[in-house]
Each structure stands twice: as C-alpha cells, then as structure tokens.
C-alpha cells in the first residue's frame, strides 16, 4: 500500500512539474528580456540580436535589452548567461567559436557544452581567404604553390591563438599539405589592417566582413571556405570547386541557461523563427552576407557536438593552446 501511495505521489509530482512548466510558457514573457552578445557592436551576432530584439518587442510588447560583454573570445558573456536564472529571460547570442572556447578554456565551474541549452541557429556564415593584391597571389593555386615552395615562410594572420581564423588556418594547412608562419593578432581588425598594409600575406576573414575591402580593391578573395559559391560573393570559387576540403561552417545562434523549461525554449524558437523569416529581417541580414536559416534546438545541439569532436582533434593535433 505504501508503494502504491509513493507511486501516486511521484506521478502527481511529475504532472505538477510539467503543468508548472507549461504555465510558465503561457505567461512568458511577462518582463523584459536580455540578450548578451559576447562580442563588440556591429558583429554578426550583434546585428542578429538587435534586429530580432526589435521585432520581439513589437510582437510581445516587452523590451529586449542587448548587452555587449566581451572577453576570452566570447567565453565570459556565455558564462554570465549560464549563471542566469533558467527562465528564458536571458539568452546569449553567439557563434561557433563557443565550441572552440569550451576546449581552450576548460573550467570546473563552466562548460558551454553542458551549461547552456540551444534555442536555435539563426543564420550561417562562411569565411574567405583574403590576401593583399600586391603580393602577387591571383589565385588559390598561386598561394598554395608559393607556400609549398617556401614552407613556414609566408605570413598568415589570425584573430588570435585558438580563434576561428586560427582553426581554419590549421584545417587549410592539413587540406593543402602546406605550412605557413602563423601571426596571431588581438582581434580581426588589426590582422585585416596589416594584410591591407602588406605586413602579412593572408588571413581568413568572415565573408560578410570582407566585402567592403574587396569592393575597394584593398584585399583579394581567393576562395570561400564552403561547399558551394555564396550569394554574397558569387564570383569567388568555393573551396570545394578548388578541390580543397572546406573548413567547418560558422553558425550564429541563441542559447539559454541549462534547465530552461522546454515549453519556453519552444516558444522562443517559434517566435524568433517567424521573425527571421520576415522579408525585411531576412533581407537586412543577407545584405551583410549571412545566410538566414532558422533551425530547431536539436539541430544546433547536433552541430555543436559534431564541431566539438572535429575542433578537439584539430586543436590537439596542432598543439593549440589559449594565450
């Protein structure tokens, strides 16, 4: 009899918990939301956060506060969200480098892969291999041939040790059987500036970031690290066309603290998917070179798991450590 009573109480408790979670979703949101962007204003994540935030305010009548919290390649902002209440009111708007930092900055108190819950992929992006036009590399074949003839001597910039551009360089060296002299910078901007100035030869740069420098003739795009040509750079060959294995694609997405009710995650996902598919929002983001492709939470989790395995292998193989 006691067992039966316990079973009934346990079942009642489960039903009550599920009902409470459902009620939370019905009332959500009842106060302002916060989007933490762990990078500077003007980045892809920042643009997505502000566009989606404006539209959420229109539909839900609750303000969305966008905060830029930089540090440790996005790690600090993500950790702040992981420590927030798991109620759906605080989200991190970040990118695939979140997976890289989980490997490079192991912590007993924060693991992005375990302490955050995916909400969705908002958009995907690509990276391009940019060179200074004055260096004489007119095609990818020119650069690869020069690197093979001068192993370890051609300068290749990155946004820092362990940054996505550094990981892409390691992947590129493996795919082309080449060796470059890695020159890490503290961020993308100073690296790009030195490629333009001719102090370094090449750098992987987000395709949407690269566009104005290509149009002005300051840089040349030798190839897009993707399986097909990109709408934002239709005249540039993809790595696949060039016979080079593309690097892991970039994603931009939303994540919530672990333990956020599934019903709240679902409500956020559905409304933000609707917003991202609005013609004006989609057009605004695609003009910056992003490919708007909203996904389910499960799709983001699967992609992160796949990237974790691949990035771990690359980082260990190349002995990459955080600064």
């Amino acid at each position: 009899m006691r067992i039966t009573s316990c079973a009934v109480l346990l079942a009642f408790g489960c039903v009550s918990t599920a009902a409470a979670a459902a009620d939370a979703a019905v009332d959500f949101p009842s106060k302002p939301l916060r989007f933490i962007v762990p990078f500077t204003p003007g980045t892809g994540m920042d643009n997505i956060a502000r566009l989606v935030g404006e539209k959420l305010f229109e539909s839900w009548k609750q303000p969305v506060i966008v905060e830029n919290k930089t540090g440790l390649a996005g790690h600090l902002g993500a950790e702040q969200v992981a420590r927030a209440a798991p109620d759906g009111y605080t989200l991190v708007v970040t990118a695939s480098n979140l997976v890289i930092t989980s490997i490079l900055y192991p912590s007993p108190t924060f693991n992005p892969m375990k302490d955050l819950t995916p909400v969705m992929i908002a958009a995907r992006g690509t990276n391009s291999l940019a060179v200074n036009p004055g260096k004489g590399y007119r095609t990818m074949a020119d650069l690869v041939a020069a690197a093979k003839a001068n192993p370890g001597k051609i300068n290749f910039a990155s946004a820092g040790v362990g940054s996505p551009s550094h990981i892409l360089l390691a992947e590129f060296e493996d795919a082309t059987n080449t060796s470059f002299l890695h020159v890490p910078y503290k961020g993308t901007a100073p690296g790009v500036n030195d490629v333009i100035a001719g102090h370094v030869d090449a750098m992987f740069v987000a395709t949407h970031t690269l566009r104005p420098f290509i149009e002005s003739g300051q840089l040349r795009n030798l190839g897009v690290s993707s399986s097909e040509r990109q709408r934002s750079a239709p005249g540039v060959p993809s790595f696949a066309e060039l016979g080079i294995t593309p690097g892991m694609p970039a994603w931009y997405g939303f994540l919530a603290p672990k333990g956020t009710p599934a019903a709240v995650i679902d409500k956020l996902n559905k409304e933000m998917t609707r917003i991202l598919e609005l013609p004006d929002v989609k057009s605004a983001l695609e003009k910056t070179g992003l490919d708007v492709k909203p996904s389910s939470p499960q799709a983001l989790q699967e992609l992160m798991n796949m990237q974790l395995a691949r990035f771990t292998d690359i980082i260990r193989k190349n002995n990459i450590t955080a600064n």
Side-chain angles (χ1 to χ4, degrees):
M1 190 69 175
R2 181 181 299 172
I3 294 175
T4 302
S5 298
C6 288
V8 170
L9 288 172
L10 181 60
F12 179 76
C14 292
V15 171
S16 298
T17 301
D23 288 343
V26 170
D27 297 334
F28 180 88
S30 59
K31 62 181 181 180
L33 289 83
R34 294 171 65 215
F35 287 172
I36 305 298
V37 179
F39 296 93
T40 55
T43 56
M45 293 76 75
D46 186 71
N47 292 335
I48 291 170
R50 295 182 189 280
L51 279 171
V52 172
E54 289 174 7
K55 294 295 185 179
L56 280 177
F57 175 69
E58 292 177 9
S59 58
W60 282 347
K61 309 305 178 187
Q62 290 291 346
V64 177
I65 302 164
V66 178
E67 299 179 21
N68 297 91
K69 184 176 179 63
T70 61
L72 288 182
H75 202 69
L76 293 184
E79 183 172 6
Q80 179 179 331
V81 172
R83 292 179 176 176
D87 53 15
Y89 287 94
T90 305
L91 305 180
V92 62
V93 190
T94 188
S96 42
N97 61 297
L98 178 74
V99 181
I100 298 173
T101 61
S102 73
I103 305 166
L104 293 178
Y105 299 99
S107 167
T109 59
F110 173 55
N111 182 339
M113 300 297 293
K114 296 180 179 179
D115 298 331
L116 292 170
T117 298
V119 176
M120 71 184 314
I121 297 171
R124 295 175 185 259
T126 59
N127 290 277
S128 290
L129 201 165
V131 297
N132 182 299
K135 293 292 184 177
Y137 311 121
R138 299 197 62 82
T139 66
M140 186 70 75
D142 292 339
L143 179 64
V144 171
K148 288 184 176 181
N150 302 278
K153 294 183 179 180
I154 295 177
N155 298 323
F156 209 113
S158 82
V161 174
S163 65
S165 52
H166 184 193
I167 301 299
L168 279 165
L169 169 57
E171 289 183 300
F172 181 69
E173 289 177 318
D174 287 347
T176 57
N177 193 29
T178 54
S179 175
F180 292 85
L181 178 61
H182 177 221
V183 184
Y185 286 80
K186 292 184 177 180
T188 298
V192 169
N193 289 338
D194 268 9
V195 176
I196 291 173
H199 300 314
V200 288
D201 296 84
M203 183 176 184
F204 275 107
V205 184
T207 305
H208 63 278
T209 301
L210 190 60
R211 180 190 290 181
F213 302 108
I214 300 299
E215 293 175 347
S216 66
Q218 294 174 289
L219 294 173
R220 176 177 293 142
N221 190 344
L222 296 185
V224 182
S225 183
S226 62
S227 58
E228 58 187 17
R229 294 200 179 203
Q230 299 300 296
R231 182 170 42 247
S232 59
V236 181
S238 68
F239 272 30
E241 284 181 66
L242 298 170
I244 302 170
T245 303
M248 186 68 74
W251 56 263
Y252 302 86
F254 293 81
L255 295 97
K258 178 183 178 181
T260 300
V264 172
I265 295 289
D266 183 62
K267 190 169 186 177
L268 283 163
N269 180 278
K270 287 180 178 177
E271 182 59 18
M272 290 196 290
T273 294
R274 183 192 70 79
I275 288 170
L276 287 163
E277 291 177 343
L278 291 173
D280 59 330
V281 174
K282 190 172 185 178
S283 175
L285 291 174
E286 288 183 343
K287 283 180 180 178
T288 69
L290 295 177
D291 189 8
V292 179
K293 288 187 175 180
S295 81
S296 67
Q298 294 75 21
L300 176 51
Q301 186 65 66
E302 290 170 4
L303 180 56
M304 289 173 65
N305 291 341
M306 181 174 66
Q307 288 185 327
L308 180 65
R310 182 165 174 176
F311 291 157
T312 298
D313 180 62
I314 294 168
I315 288 170
R316 289 177 178 171
K317 180 179 179 180
N318 292 276
N319 297 313
I320 298 172
T321 58
N323 284 327

